[in-house]
Amino acid sequence: RLVALLLFVQQSTTTPTIMKVTPLFHSPHRLLVGDAPLVGVLDLPSSASNHERPPIRLFFPATTVSPKPRRVKQARYFVNNRVSYVLQGFAHIALARHTTKLYKFVVRPLMWMVSLFFPVRFLKIPDTALVTTKKDDSPVRYAPLNNNSNKSKSQSLIMFSHGLTGTGEENALFCTALAKRGYVVACIHHRDGSSSRVPMPDGTCKFYEHLPNGDDYSPNHRLEQVSFRAKEFLYATKWLLGEEQGGDDYDHPILQQIRPKLDTKKVIASGFSYGSTTCSLAATAQPNRFQCAVFLDGWFHVDYSSKGYLYNFPPEAFGEDWPNGANNGNERSHVIENKEGLTIPSIFINSAKFAGFPKLYAATTTLANNINTHNKHDSTIPESTLHVIPNTQHQNFCDVGFWLPKVLLRRLGKFIDLGDADVLEASENILDLTLKFLKQF
């Protein structure tokens, strides 16, 4: 009995083994490191009084108001936490068109029920403060930080364009991370039919426009679409800088705080996938507007060779004209004014997936080389570089890896392919390359 008692005492005083608990989700906290106390998030919907401005989600360095700070409410990944709205848009693309009875009576109610338990509904973006459109009810104020290498007091504005089928919300962590380091970031939600679903100024919504297949396919659709997106991109830029006016939210107190601090000559163009195509066209059209560009897994080549369409995309960024019919793009029709193409210094960050497409990767390399060739006689202009993140897929360049539990991401591997790269490490690599490039300006 004495031996048993001694053994019991020894076991009870031994340091217990600490079990390592694996988090259910990939945590984005390591990405959100910077000097800004908070990141303010201001959602600016379409305005009935200004049809030209697209919806914008604005991320900016912020701090709580004083002397009596109000309760700060964190921002969600989706505007107004409209998970059902977004899911219904993607269902229109993947399951059934929104005009069909199947969609109206089966798919839409099903997406609504799924949204009630969809994990991202319960997630918040860390270190953020949601600013409402009520002009006298902001819990935070703009807190400008110096993010320029030349130590000037002006701030850089980053304009961001989303990808094909995107919503302007799938790169919230990338935008938040940049704002945490002092940048003002505006993410545009395009209304050209390339988004899965987007609210319109008249209160309706616009779903993704499916392209015709076979003999009805026309290369003009994407070319005209990206031109529309570029115009939205440029107008939103001028509106935020105060060069264009109008709309219910133009004189929002937060915008009045931010506008005087922005440098009109230090705008940065950025985008993901189709968004890279968009901002490259905008920067080609107005090269003096932008000081540099950040392209995340850009779509720079269209290959529909079975119908004779094969061209760099957008052609204007390559100093080329629009393709005229078939013949692999050798015949051109739409003549552009800027024959030099894209000339501003740029960084191209690609997934291993996109780098594996020879024609697409060759076009991306050509674009980077063209920029360097144009700027080779000016030693003050940073070099344009191309990087590939190993073992990554296209979806590693947006937030989807942080929306769902790890086990669910593995189960949905056929639909959400994130490759073999660690989700957090891949995002860190993308962000680190971006910040290292931006520090040169």
Side-chain angles (χ1 to χ4, degrees):
R1 290 180 180 179
L2 180 60
V3 173
L5 179 62
L6 291 174
L7 289 174
F8 173 78
V9 171
Q10 181 181 10
Q11 291 176 357
S12 64
T13 57
T14 302
T15 303
T17 302
I18 300 177
M19 296 181 63
K20 185 177 180 181
V21 179
T22 303
L24 293 177
F25 293 83
H26 292 285
S27 173
H29 285 87
R30 278 164 45 186
L31 302 174
L32 309 180
V33 178
D35 295 330
L38 288 170
V39 172
V41 180
L42 174 61
D43 294 318
L44 300 166
S46 292
S47 173
S49 58
N50 185 358
H51 287 224
E52 293 186 82
R53 180 184 65 77
I56 298 173
R57 195 168 213 199
L58 191 68
F59 301 80
F60 58 93
T63 187
T64 54
V65 296
S66 59
K68 295 181 180 179
R70 300 177 183 177
R71 180 177 177 270
V72 175
K73 183 179 180 181
Q74 285 183 298
R76 303 278 185 170
Y77 281 92
F78 298 134
V79 176
N80 298 326
N81 207 22
R82 54 186 184 191
V83 179
S84 175
Y85 188 96
V86 175
L87 289 179
Q88 289 174 24
F90 286 123
H92 158 79
I93 298 174
L95 301 178
R97 307 288 176 90
H98 76 281
T99 55
T100 63
K101 292 183 179 180
L102 175 63
Y103 180 91
K104 293 179 180 179
F105 298 108
V106 178
V107 175
R108 184 168 59 185
L110 178 62
M111 291 299 102
W112 181 82
M113 288 188 291
V114 170
S115 72
L116 296 178
F117 307 98
F118 203 65
V120 73
R121 169 181 288 277
F122 308 100
L123 300 179
K124 299 176 182 179
I125 307 175
D127 296 337
T128 60
L130 181 64
V131 179
T132 66
T133 53
K134 296 180 180 179
K135 299 179 181 180
D136 58 346
D137 192 35
S138 175
V140 297
R141 61 177 175 83
Y142 174 51
L145 299 178
N146 191 340
N147 52 33
N148 297 305
S149 59
N150 59 8
K151 306 301 179 183
S152 67
K153 296 181 180 180
S154 60
Q155 303 296 295
S156 296
L157 170 65
I158 300 179
M159 299 298 299
F160 193 91
S161 175
H162 67 76
L164 186 65
T165 73
T167 63
E169 298 153 313
E170 73 269 23
N171 292 96
L173 288 178
F174 182 75
C175 297
T176 302
L178 292 173
K180 186 73 173 172
R181 291 159 174 85
Y183 295 95
V184 177
V185 189
C187 192
I188 300 170
H189 196 167
H190 290 288
R191 302 169 297 177
D192 59 308
S194 63
S195 172
S196 57
R197 191 180 186 185
V198 58
M200 300 300 285
D202 60 359
T204 62
C205 67
K206 188 170 187 176
F207 285 86
Y208 175 79
E209 293 180 353
H210 292 81
L211 267 65
N213 296 317
D215 295 335
D216 295 329
Y217 175 82
S218 171
N220 289 341
H221 183 90
R222 289 291 184 223
L223 293 165
E224 292 171 355
Q225 192 176 62
V226 75
S227 296
F228 183 89
R229 286 171 61 111
K231 290 178 181 178
E232 283 191 322
F233 190 91
L234 291 170
Y235 184 88
T237 302
K238 292 187 288 184
W239 187 85
L240 286 170
L241 293 173
E243 298 175 7
E244 294 284 354
Q245 300 181 10
D248 301 332
D249 300 319
Y250 178 79
D251 59 348
H252 192 286
I254 291 295
L255 296 178
Q256 291 181 343
Q257 296 171 26
I258 292 176
R259 282 194 180 104
K261 297 291 184 180
L262 298 178
D263 192 325
T264 58
K265 297 182 180 180
K266 292 179 179 176
V267 182
I268 299 165
S270 183
F272 162 60
S273 190
Y274 202 14
S276 294
T277 317
T278 302
C279 64
S280 69
L281 180 56
T284 300
Q286 296 185 12
N288 295 329
R289 167 72 64 188
F290 304 95
Q291 64 172 345
C292 63
V294 178
F295 301 122
L296 304 183
D297 223 19
W299 179 20
F300 294 116
H301 189 76
V302 171
D303 184 0
Y304 199 29
S305 52
S306 61
K307 295 297 178 182
Y309 299 119
L310 189 70
Y311 55 92
N312 293 325
F313 187 51
E316 295 90 335
F318 293 81
E320 301 170 349
D321 300 326
W322 282 18
N324 181 20
N327 198 22
N328 292 332
N330 292 327
E331 297 178 5
R332 306 280 176 175
S333 62
H334 183 77
V335 179
I336 61 172
E337 296 179 1
N338 184 5
K339 289 293 184 180
E340 294 182 329
L342 184 66
T343 57
I344 63 172
S346 306
I347 183 171
F348 300 81
I349 308 176
N350 277 24
S351 67
K353 177 75 172 182
F354 269 30
F357 297 120
K359 295 175 183 178
L360 173 58
Y361 189 69
T364 307
T365 303
T366 297
L367 190 54
N369 291 338
N370 289 349
I371 298 171
N372 287 328
T373 300
H374 179 272
N375 299 326
K376 65 180 180 181
H377 297 299
D378 191 343
S379 60
T380 63
I381 299 179
E383 181 184 9
S384 295
T385 56
L386 172 60
H387 308 267
V388 177
I389 309 297
N391 303 316
T392 53
Q393 300 285 338
H394 197 50
Q395 297 301 323
N396 285 105
F397 286 73
C398 59
D399 295 344
V400 64
F402 297 90
W403 291 348
L404 301 172
K406 297 177 181 179
V407 62
L408 194 55
L409 288 173
R410 290 192 293 268
R411 294 289 180 89
L412 297 176
K414 293 182 179 180
F415 305 98
I416 305 175
D417 191 357
L418 295 171
D420 296 327
D422 180 81
V423 170
L424 182 57
E425 289 181 3
S427 297
E428 285 183 313
N429 289 337
I430 295 167
L431 184 61
D432 289 344
L433 287 170
T434 300
L435 293 171
K436 184 178 179 180
F437 174 74
L438 294 180
K439 284 181 179 179
Q440 300 177 88
F441 300 91

